[in-house]
Each structure stands twice: as C-alpha cells, then as structure tokens.
Amino acid sequence: MFAVIKTGGKQYSVAAGDVITVMALDGAPGDAVTFDEVLMLGGDSPKIGAPAVAGAKVSGEIAEQTRSPKSIAFKKRRRQNSKRKRGHRQDLTLVRITAIEG
C-alpha cells in the first residue's frame, strides 16, 4: 500500500518504511509526526481524495534534522567592477514513514 501526501507545498508518494526528505518540521529526532493531508491511497482498492481522503493519515518519525547542500547565486556585471555572491542552505527534515492508515 502507498499514499500520496502533501507537506511543505510539495507532494510525496510514500510507503511504509520509506525515508523522505521534506521541508523543515518542528521536533527532535525520534519524535512522531502525522500527515493528515492524504491526497490518494493506493493498493488493491485505490481511493482518490477531493482534495483529501477523509479519515486517512500517514504516521512517521523524525529521523534527522539536516540542511541541504549550499547553493550559490553569483552575479557579475562585466566591465563594471561589480559582483555579488550569496549562498543559501535550506533546512530539511528526514522522516521515516511508519504506518499508513485509511
């Protein structure tokens, strides 16, 4: 059985035992999280929500709080002696999916 969940403005297809990387969630490693916005349940008899499947939820536990690799935005204007370098690292959370209920 699998499910399609929505969190952080993105959609993820998950199954029990999967480890997914999502936008930062509050909590420490080992804390339980629940995703209530389930868009679809797949398997023998699939259920598609409009927009969400009523009564369905996906449970997981936070595996790690981490950050993405650094992305660098570098701008240079030729012959103007003008340049700008800016880096960014996004906060991420690794979530291990434990159960799909619905």
Side-chain angles (χ1 to χ4, degrees):
M1 178 180 239
F2 73 95
V4 177
I5 60 171
K6 183 177 178 182
T7 179
K10 297 178 178 67
Q11 297 176 8
Y12 300 91
S13 177
V14 298
D18 287 354
V19 176
I20 60 172
T21 303
V22 300
M23 292 298 178
L25 298 173
D26 292 335
D31 289 353
V33 292
T34 303
F35 301 103
D36 295 323
E37 199 164 358
V38 179
L39 305 177
M40 177 183 167
L41 287 174
D44 296 334
S45 58
K47 295 179 191 171
I48 299 174
V53 177
K57 65 181 180 177
V58 174
S59 303
E61 94 175 36
I62 295 177
E64 182 182 358
Q65 298 283 5
T66 185
R67 300 182 81 193
S68 68
K70 180 173 260 192
S71 62
I72 296 173
F74 182 79
K75 298 178 181 177
K76 183 179 186 330
R77 295 164 195 89
R78 61 187 183 150
R79 296 186 298 274
Q80 311 262 336
N81 195 23
S82 171
K83 56 188 172 186
R84 184 76 64 233
K85 180 179 177 181
R86 198 176 121 193
H88 174 76
R89 291 185 74 184
Q90 187 71 40
D91 292 326
L92 301 172
T93 301
L94 269 67
V95 177
R96 182 175 298 109
I97 304 299
T98 55
I100 298 173
E101 302 166 15

